[in-house]
């Protein structure tokens, strides 16, 4: 099974709301990723977790707060977002994070900030 | 810095036509190379990969060969189908952290 699941599929939120995105995998992968994808653009890396520790933060604003409660789960907490944060948020996982590892992507959460 | 350049799209082909999507990369060291496909409204799916020079990745009739001398990883398919309509991303990955660096994507439309 090479499935990464993400919930919710769609999310609409106001600029004062707090919401969370959830990602789950049961492949035994130890590296997990959050990407942001704007329309007609490639995905841009936001965060990398390796063995449940944050290893990369690509200078993402603090209104995005990642969390990795265990090796199967990855959350992205959202607070005080701006309309320009509207995008498709993709989660991915890979075995350990080495350069030859394949990253498996979830279907994404389409976020709209009003 | 490291980068990936893909041919500009959109590419429109008739069913059963031959497909080539060009991809070249700039990187120090020895990256792994990937092609991902994104169907409308979905996430990315790995199409194929190659981890060292002269490796050929293949899947579902698609092929790409890792050419270090030309720093290329062109995607080919001998006979496309309408169901191949999607956006195709070339990507590289290197180093212990292994972050993916994507090209801008090429949209393929296949007409019956």
């Amino acid at each position: 099974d090479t499935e990464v699941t993400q919930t919710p599929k769609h999310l609409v939120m106001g600029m004062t709301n707090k919401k969370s995105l959830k990602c789950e995998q049961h492949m035994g992968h130890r590296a997990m990723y959050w990407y942001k994808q704007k329309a007609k653009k490639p995905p841009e890396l936001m965060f990398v977790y390796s063995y449940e520790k944050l290893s990369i933060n690509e200078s993402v604003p603090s209104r995005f707060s990642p969390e990795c409660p265990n090796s199967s789960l990855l959350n992205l907490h959202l607070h005080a977002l701006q309309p320009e944060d509207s995008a498709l948020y993709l989660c991915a996982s890979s075995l350990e994070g080495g350069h030859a590892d394949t990253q498996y992507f979830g279907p994404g959460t389409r976020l709209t900030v009003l | 810095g490291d980068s990936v350049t893909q041919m500009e799209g959109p590419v429109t082909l008739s069913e059963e036509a031959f497909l080539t999507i060009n991809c070249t990369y700039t990187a120090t060291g020895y990256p792994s190379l990937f092609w991902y496909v994104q169907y409308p409204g979905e996430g990315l799916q790995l199409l194929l990969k190659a981890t060292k020079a002269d490796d050929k990745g293949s899947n579902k009739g698609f092929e790409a060969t890792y050419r270090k001398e030309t720093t290329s990883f062109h995607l080919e398919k001998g006979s496309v189908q309408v169901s191949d309509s999607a956006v195709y991303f070339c990507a590289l990955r290197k180093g212990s952290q292994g972050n993916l660096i994507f090209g801008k994507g090429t949209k393929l439309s296949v007409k019956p």
Side-chain angles (χ1 to χ4, degrees), chain A residues 43-57:
Chain A
E44 296 176 349
L45 183 68
M46 300 174 72
F47 302 105
V48 180
Y49 273 83
S50 179
Y51 289 85
E52 299 155 52
K53 288 185 171 26
L54 183 65
S55 60
I56 293 179
N57 175 342

Side-chain angles (χ1 to χ4, degrees), chain A residues 42-99:
Chain A
E44 296 176 349
L45 183 68
M46 300 174 72
F47 302 105
V48 180
Y49 273 83
S50 179
Y51 289 85
E52 299 155 52
K53 288 185 171 26
L54 183 65
S55 60
I56 293 179
N57 175 342
E58 291 285 354
S59 303
V60 178
S62 60
R63 57 186 185 268
F64 295 92
S65 174
E67 178 197 20
C68 189
N70 60 56
S71 60
S72 301
L73 271 177
L74 185 66
N75 298 320
L76 186 63
H77 303 297
L78 314 172
H79 172 55
L81 294 194
Q82 304 297 310
E84 59 265 28
D85 297 321
S86 298
L88 181 68
Y89 288 84
L90 294 164
C91 174
S93 71
S94 69
L95 192 59
E96 289 187 325
H99 76 94

